[in-house]
């Protein structure tokens, strides 16, 4: 099979634990790109927190999926070709739910992370994205418009229970875990898999010609969509049987292994 698109989750997949790209991954990505393979970064990160990585890898002539599939950007033309947001009412409902369940909640407005609270888990998101953290007296008063997504944050074992309840309480939303302490909520039908399909159709690439690589629950939809779904070895344990292949971990150049085995 000749694969034409390689879709890569970023954190804990393409990136090492210190949020860098290994030389092994970098070298193999350059070789895949030279063969004409479309390399697409697909992350839960906000768009601004992905662009420098795309530029560093020479992917500014490609496409990028951000916010867990809620935004697709044509980097060559600096154009958003798909975007779907939560309504203000949905965000306020998620806030009320978070208060009931005693979790932290964040959203993104004006290029900032917005919350009412401080938390070690929010600090992780601020560090990963590099965005300014605006702590506000009233979340609902600050959020008077639509926004791309929300994240509920809390201790992992408790948040797993919240995930089950939230899916039952708000079945109209797309709910997934991107890290053990990040429970993400987006608009109906929004996930990485749907956006990978949108992009593949746009580029006349068959489902069977797509490889997707990830490590967490928010990657599952694209792993299941792709012709070849791949987990890196540090995948969440309960997901291990959901992919076609498991390769080396994010710290051991798993992406490079995928390219060497299935593209070169």
């Amino acid at each position: 099979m000749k694969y034409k698109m390689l879709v890569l989750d970023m954190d804990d997949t393409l990136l090492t634990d210190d949020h860098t790209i290994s030389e092994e991954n970098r070298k193999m990505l350059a070789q895949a790109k030279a063969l004409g393979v479309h390399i697409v970064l697909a992350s839960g990160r906000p768009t601004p927190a992905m662009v420098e990585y795309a530029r560093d890898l020479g992917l500014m002539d490609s496409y990028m999926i951000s916010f867990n599939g809620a935004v697709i950007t044509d980097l060559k033309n600096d154009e958003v070709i798909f975007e779907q947001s939560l309504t203000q009412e949905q965000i306020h409902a998620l806030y009320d739910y978070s208060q009931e369940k005693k979790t932290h909640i964040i959203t993104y407005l004006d290029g900032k992370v917005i919350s009412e609270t401080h938390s070690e888990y929010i600090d992780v998101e601020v560090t990963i994205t590099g965005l300014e953290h605006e702590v506000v007296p009233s979340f609902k008063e600050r959020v008077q418009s639509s926004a791309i997504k929300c994240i509920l944050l809390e201790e992992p074992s408790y948040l797993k229970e919240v995930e089950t309840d939230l899916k039952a309480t708000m079945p109209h939303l797309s709910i997934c875990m991107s890290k053990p302490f990040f429970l993400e909520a987006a608009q109906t039908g929004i996930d990485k898999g749907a956006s990978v399909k949108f992009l593949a159709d746009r580029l006349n690439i068959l489902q069977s010609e797509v490889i997707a690589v990830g490590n967490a629950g928010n990657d599952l939809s694209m792993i299941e969509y792709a012709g070849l779904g791949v987990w890196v070895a540090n995948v969440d344990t309960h997901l291990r049987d959901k992919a076609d292949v498991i390769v080396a971990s994010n710290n051991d150049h798993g992406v490079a292994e995928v390219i060497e085995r299935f593209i070169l």
Side-chain angles (χ1 to χ4, degrees):
M1 169 60 67
K2 181 180 179 182
Y3 292 103
K4 297 181 179 180
M5 181 186 289
L6 175 62
V7 186
L8 302 172
D9 171 55
M10 290 179 59
D11 295 288
D12 305 313
T13 299
L14 171 62
L15 305 183
T16 59
D17 288 350
D18 61 0
H19 309 302
T20 61
I21 302 168
S22 72
E23 285 306 312
E24 289 84 348
N25 282 350
R26 189 183 300 276
K27 176 183 174 183
M28 286 297 180
L29 284 167
Q31 291 188 41
K33 186 173 187 291
L35 291 175
V37 176
H38 291 273
I39 298 168
V40 178
L41 302 181
S43 176
R45 288 180 177 228
T47 310
M50 298 174 63
V51 172
E52 286 307 312
Y53 288 97
R55 183 174 287 112
D56 182 38
L57 290 169
L59 301 179
M60 296 304 287
D61 57 351
S62 186
Y63 297 84
M64 192 168 70
I65 297 170
S66 54
F67 288 106
N68 271 331
V71 177
I72 305 174
T73 304
D74 177 344
L75 293 170
K76 184 176 182 179
N77 297 310
D78 191 23
E79 177 189 2
V80 173
I81 59 173
F82 175 85
E83 181 174 306
Q84 187 68 59
S85 299
L86 291 166
T87 66
Q88 176 185 320
E89 292 73 22
Q90 288 170 326
I91 296 167
H92 286 191
L94 283 162
Y95 171 82
D96 291 340
Y97 179 87
S98 76
Q99 299 309 289
E100 176 189 338
K101 294 297 182 181
K102 296 181 169 53
T103 72
H104 301 275
I105 184 171
I106 63 174
T107 193
Y108 307 83
L109 288 174
D110 307 321
K112 300 175 184 179
V113 176
I114 308 297
S115 76
E116 266 185 7
T117 56
H118 289 279
S119 158
E120 62 183 302
Y121 305 120
I122 297 175
D123 289 344
V124 171
E125 177 68 358
V126 171
T127 299
I128 287 173
T129 63
L131 300 179
E132 180 183 341
H133 181 198
E134 181 183 342
V135 182
V136 297
S138 170
F139 186 89
K140 289 167 83 169
E141 286 185 14
R142 176 65 175 87
V143 181
Q144 294 292 313
S145 66
S146 61
I148 299 295
K149 70 173 184 177
C150 291
I151 304 181
L152 279 62
L153 311 92
E154 197 40 78
E155 182 276 326
S157 61
Y158 175 65
L159 199 61
K160 194 67 183 171
E161 297 176 12
V162 174
E163 178 191 19
T164 301
D165 184 77
L166 181 56
K167 286 180 175 178
T169 303
M170 300 187 183
H172 53 288
L173 297 183
S174 292
I175 309 295
C176 65
M177 301 285 289
S178 58
K179 285 184 178 291
F181 40 81
F182 287 176
L183 178 58
E184 308 217 3
Q187 190 55 269
T188 309
I190 294 298
D191 58 44
K192 290 186 182 183
S195 291
V196 171
K197 182 183 186 304
F198 176 96
L199 195 50
D201 290 347
R202 183 183 179 96
L203 298 173
N204 294 314
I205 293 173
L206 300 176
Q207 182 176 358
S208 60
E209 297 171 328
V210 177
I211 302 177
V213 189
N215 78 290
N218 64 320
D219 301 314
L220 180 59
S221 60
M222 72 175 186
I223 296 299
E224 292 180 331
Y225 167 79
L228 183 69
V230 182
W231 293 132
V232 288
N234 50 294
V235 60
D236 296 346
T237 304
H238 69 286
L239 296 171
R240 291 186 70 86
D241 64 345
K242 304 293 187 183
D244 301 304
V245 178
I246 297 178
V247 295
S249 75
N250 66 312
N251 290 320
D252 295 315
H253 332 298
V255 168
E257 180 184 336
V258 172
I259 295 168
E260 190 168 27
R261 287 176 60 183
F262 301 108
I263 292 177
L264 299 185

